[in-house]
Amino acid sequence: MTRFFFDLHSDSLSAWDDEGRECSDADEILRHALRMLDDLPEAPTHGSSPAVVSVHDVSGQVVLTATLKPNSEPNLRWTKEGPSEGVSTVPLPPKSSAL
């Protein structure tokens, strides 16, 4: 498994992940990022900044950006390459897909 880091940014919150999390595939990365957005104490409201989870690997390459805007579903952007070699055992979702 490969370690990924999940940084969270919202209006009044910036949480930098210094420990990371072992993920076996793209699906596990996606589930954890969406769980983080779902666990926010307050969902983004009209006029507020979107909440963003930026996921990067140990080399610092961003593999996923999940953005939650007010009154909408999360927007997902996978990098062209997706997670590092040896991690993606399931197909990556299409780029910029919404759940």
Side-chain angles (χ1 to χ4, degrees), residues 4-71:
F4 291 90
F5 299 85
F6 295 78
D7 299 329
L8 175 64
H9 307 284
S10 187
D11 259 346
S12 61
L13 172 70
S14 282
W16 301 94
D17 183 359
D18 295 329
E19 295 181 20
R21 175 186 179 99
E22 297 285 328
C23 295
S24 60
D25 57 33
D27 190 49
E28 189 173 349
I29 294 167
L30 176 61
R31 282 194 315 269
H32 187 66
L34 293 177
R35 187 176 317 116
M36 289 179 71
L37 290 173
D38 192 47
D39 288 347
L40 284 172
E42 294 182 21
T45 58
H46 182 69
S48 69
S49 299
V52 178
V53 175
S54 178
V55 184
H56 60 91
D57 62 17
V58 294
S59 72
Q61 178 183 350
V62 174
V63 296
L64 171 66
T65 303
T67 305
L68 180 61
K69 294 181 180 178
N71 303 315

Side-chain angles (χ1 to χ4, degrees), residues 34 37 50-51 66-76 96-99:
L34 293 177
L37 290 173
T67 305
L68 180 61
K69 294 181 180 178
N71 303 315
S72 66
E73 294 295 320
N75 182 303
L76 307 173
S96 301
S97 66
L99 297 177

